[in-house]
Amino acid sequence: MMEELKKRLLDLLGEEGFRTEESMAKHTTFRTGGPADLFLMPQNRTELKESIALLREYNVPYLVIGNGSNLLVGDGGIRGAVIQLYQRMQNISVEGTEMTLDCGALLSAAAAQAADASLEGLAFASGIPGTFGGAVVMNAGAYGGEMKDIVESVTLVKNDGSETISINAADLDL
């Protein structure tokens, strides 16, 4: 059954997006950690949704990470799957006064792009390690600014991979 899942994930994500027995030391800022049984790097929401749905279908537990900032993994590694959003989901676009970011976009890159576009409000994030998705989850902040001050809405993939939903920032309880 596990071999069937591996084949389906490989078909979905390609060789660039799927690995087995991947050392987590390669994916944490502290450079620690044994292997993850399955390591997935989706490149868009569709691949993310389908990956989660497959993992749920096969009852494989999963952990979602950004770029591994401040993440400690033991030498025993992670049983199940790790879904890393940083490697291939880091698009940032600017239209007028709005930015749209993938969850894996680095905050430092987003702050730099905002500055290049003469947008205000994201300068506080330039020195915060990590990704936009993680920053929203923890309401990251520094120097008097917080994610709750700049985020208008987020689009989430449900835990079962069945659908995406958009939520206004006011409803996130940041």
Side-chain angles (χ1 to χ4, degrees):
M1 188 157 82
M2 189 60 124
E3 290 307 313
E4 180 181 316
L5 171 60
K6 289 178 185 177
K7 182 186 179 331
R8 291 178 71 185
L9 288 168
L10 182 60
D11 289 345
L12 173 64
L13 302 170
E15 289 183 20
E16 314 80 40
F18 177 69
R19 299 181 186 145
T20 59
E21 298 301 317
E22 179 74 0
S23 171
M24 289 303 296
K26 296 178 184 177
H27 304 285
T28 64
T29 56
F30 292 118
R31 299 295 177 230
T32 63
D37 294 335
L38 305 172
F39 193 83
L40 289 61
M41 297 170 286
Q43 62 183 345
N44 55 50
R45 256 187 250 157
T46 301
E47 286 186 2
L48 177 59
K49 279 177 42 178
E50 291 179 16
S51 294
I52 291 171
L54 279 172
L55 294 170
R56 299 284 292 206
E57 179 183 333
Y58 286 84
N59 295 313
V60 174
Y62 65 91
L63 170 69
V64 178
I65 67 169
N67 73 334
S69 297
N70 300 323
L71 178 64
L72 291 173
V73 178
D75 291 341
I78 297 175
R79 304 293 61 85
V82 171
I83 302 173
Q84 185 196 53
L85 303 175
Y86 162 66
Q87 288 291 329
R88 298 178 9 141
M89 289 185 71
Q90 47 181 293
N91 294 317
I92 301 171
S93 64
V94 177
E95 286 190 33
T97 61
E98 289 193 5
M99 291 184 79
T100 302
L101 296 94
D102 278 353
C103 51
L106 290 176
L107 282 179
S108 57
Q113 221 169 316
D116 288 347
S118 299
L119 298 178
E120 296 179 359
L122 197 53
F124 76 87
S126 63
I128 298 174
T131 60
F132 179 71
V136 171
V137 167
M138 63 183 287
N139 189 32
Y143 310 111
E146 298 175 281
M147 297 306 291
K148 72 174 182 63
D149 300 328
I150 61 167
V151 172
E152 290 185 12
S153 67
V154 296
T155 301
L156 309 170
V157 174
K158 289 187 116 183
N159 284 338
D160 62 3
S162 64
E163 63 180 317
T164 57
I165 55 173
S166 290
I167 300 176
N168 289 325
D171 297 327
L172 291 174
D173 197 28
L174 295 174

